[in-house]
Amino acid sequence: MEQSLGVLVGYDGSDHSMQALDWAMDEAELRRLSLTVCHAWQWPYGEGDPGGRDSLRRAAEHVLWHGADCARTGAGGLDVRGDLYEGSPTERLEELSGQAELIVLGSRGLRGMARAVIGSVASHAAAHARCPVIVVRGRGALPRTPDPGPIVAGVADDGKADAVLGFACEEAAMRRLPLLVVHAWHQPPVAWAGMTYPALDPMALQEASEDWLAATVAPWRSRHPGLAVELRVANARAAETVAAVAEATLVVVGSPHGRFGSVASGLLRQAPCPVAIVRARPTADG
């Protein structure tokens, strides 16, 4: 049986990865798990120049040592391990995700790989990892304000609500924060005779959505009786509804394996706080 890597964090010494490291340390302590600091490096010049290659590897070893040392110094007693890999960081994180409980990444990925808003490494891991992924955005490091915001869970009737609620409840309980569960409904229009009309009564859609959300959250209220839970249903685009909660400590959403849903994609680009992407672990059948 493979040994669990606990909380896995991608680290390259950049400000974004330092923020991710801080969050990952906190997750490892709260969950009583080990912390694995991962750094991947690549020689970009093909064959030849063994001296230059050795120098680059030594530099990578130093980066990894620095991250692991920061974690050990900042969290006394935390079991910290290092993983140095020559090759693609996206491939390495996807490979290790089956042994990790959680992956934490900075919003711009690993050095040299970031060209998009959230970075290719973070976006690939969030879409393909076999465990939950937290992309640290906005405030980044663990908020240490005297009045931190809630954990926000964005749920839809898409088969992923229980995975999202399970993760969000765990985070809220560990951090002793309230949980806000958000569900957005959108009124589908119909076209007739060149005109567009609402398909259903908005009040009926609102009431049906409220009933669905209450029934979906009820089992999780029972499992966490001491957790303060607020429900919010709105007629709006889901990504805009969740992103509007500007004071959240963490936003948790679900997404299909191998790609992003529109909500996850929008939040990873725009959310003012860290975003957790949660999906059920793949089964042995795929």
Side-chain angles (χ1 to χ4, degrees):
M1 183 177 179
E2 292 179 313
Q3 184 179 19
S4 172
L5 298 176
V7 176
L8 177 65
V9 59
Y11 181 81
D12 69 354
S14 66
D15 289 344
H16 294 289
S17 68
M18 286 294 294
Q19 292 174 339
L21 180 64
D22 187 45
W23 190 283
M25 289 162 54
D26 191 61
E27 289 283 349
E29 287 186 295
L30 288 171
R31 296 171 180 271
R32 299 181 180 179
L33 295 172
S34 60
L35 175 66
T36 300
V37 182
C38 179
H39 178 65
W41 67 283
Q42 293 177 292
W43 175 250
Y45 304 115
E47 299 297 328
D49 194 9
R53 191 184 191 93
D54 289 343
S55 295
L56 188 58
R57 179 180 178 84
R58 287 195 296 271
E61 290 172 345
H62 179 76
V63 170
L64 180 62
W65 170 85
H66 179 265
D69 185 65
C70 287
R72 293 188 183 100
T73 302
L78 188 63
D79 178 17
V80 180
R81 310 164 189 174
D83 180 82
L84 184 66
Y85 179 74
E86 181 180 358
S88 165
T90 58
E91 292 177 2
R92 186 57 171 170
L93 289 169
E94 184 175 353
E95 175 188 355
L96 296 180
S97 66
Q99 301 168 245
E101 300 299 320
L102 174 68
I103 292 177
V104 182
L105 296 169
S107 61
R108 290 186 181 273
L110 303 182
R111 181 174 299 166
M113 300 296 292
R115 295 295 181 269
V117 174
I118 65 167
S120 60
V121 176
S123 60
H124 184 92
H128 295 278
R130 288 171 282 173
C131 65
V133 176
I134 293 180
V135 179
V136 181
R137 289 185 44 82
R139 291 186 293 266
L142 173 67
R144 304 186 188 280
T145 62
D147 187 24
I151 303 297
V152 176
V155 298
D157 188 7
D158 57 2
K160 294 181 286 292
D162 280 338
V164 170
L165 289 169
F167 188 89
C169 286
E170 185 178 28
E171 284 285 334
M174 288 189 307
R175 297 179 183 277
R176 299 182 181 181
L177 293 175
L179 174 65
L180 171 60
V181 185
V182 178
H183 173 61
W185 60 271
H186 183 65
Q187 187 175 28
V190 295
W192 182 74
M195 302 292 288
T196 300
Y197 302 92
L200 295 171
D201 176 18
M203 289 302 297
L205 285 171
Q206 176 76 16
E207 291 175 3
S209 297
E210 290 173 352
D211 290 344
W212 174 84
L213 185 60
T216 301
V217 175
W220 295 100
R221 285 186 187 271
S222 299
R223 295 174 198 176
H224 299 272
L227 186 62
V229 181
E230 178 186 347
L231 307 184
R232 184 178 300 176
V233 175
N235 176 12
R237 293 187 182 276
E240 295 172 357
T241 301
V242 178
V245 187
E247 299 304 315
T249 291
L250 174 72
V251 176
V252 185
V253 293
S255 190
H257 184 73
R259 62 185 179 87
F260 290 133
S262 60
V263 176
S265 178
L267 287 170
L268 287 174
R269 291 194 306 269
Q270 302 173 10
C273 66
V275 177
I277 307 297
V278 181
R279 59 180 62 85
R281 288 179 180 266
T283 64
D285 298 329

